[in-house]
Amino acid sequence: HRLVLVAGSQEYLAEAQATAAPYRQELLQRGVMYVPVPMDAYQAPPEAMEGNKSGSTNGLPSALDASERGEGTETVPMDVRWKATPLRLEEWREWVKNQKQLANVPESSGVYVSLRMDGRVRGSGVRLPPWERMAKQLAPTQGMWKGFGDGFDGAV
């Protein structure tokens, strides 16, 4: 996956997800996964917990849940392929806070960090992620181009 960590207030995270919506299918084809890191006080909405028998706190089915039901990855809902919930949220918040301090970015600013498939940083900024550029410039992860552009994602 090409992770895009987006850190900020609930409003900033909602705006980031909304601006990605028109490009979501193209981003999924390119292996992009949205990882929201809420920097303000956050509590999972009650509906996120409904129907969750695994005890998971993010309300999404885990890979273990799918395998226990005899389901493969082809049955994983699109939301699970698009959006990930960070584990150890407080550690992520602290990391983002430290990175902002090092870069002299105001604590209240929303930021993003996009990673290449090999885990290296592709790009970052104090703005919304450039979803449209990612959708146009990144190579698909399936089909004829699979593997061809891995690690050569440019500066998106």
Side-chain angles (χ1 to χ4, degrees), residues 38-57:
M39 297 300 288
D40 50 4
Y42 174 74
Q43 183 173 347
E47 60 270 14
M49 298 302 293
E50 292 176 11
N52 182 8
K53 297 176 182 129
S54 68
S56 166
T57 59

Side-chain angles (χ1 to χ4, degrees), residues 59-75:
L60 299 174
S62 70
L64 182 60
D65 292 340
S67 66
E68 286 174 346
R69 291 190 306 266
E71 299 174 0
T73 56
E74 67 278 356
T75 62

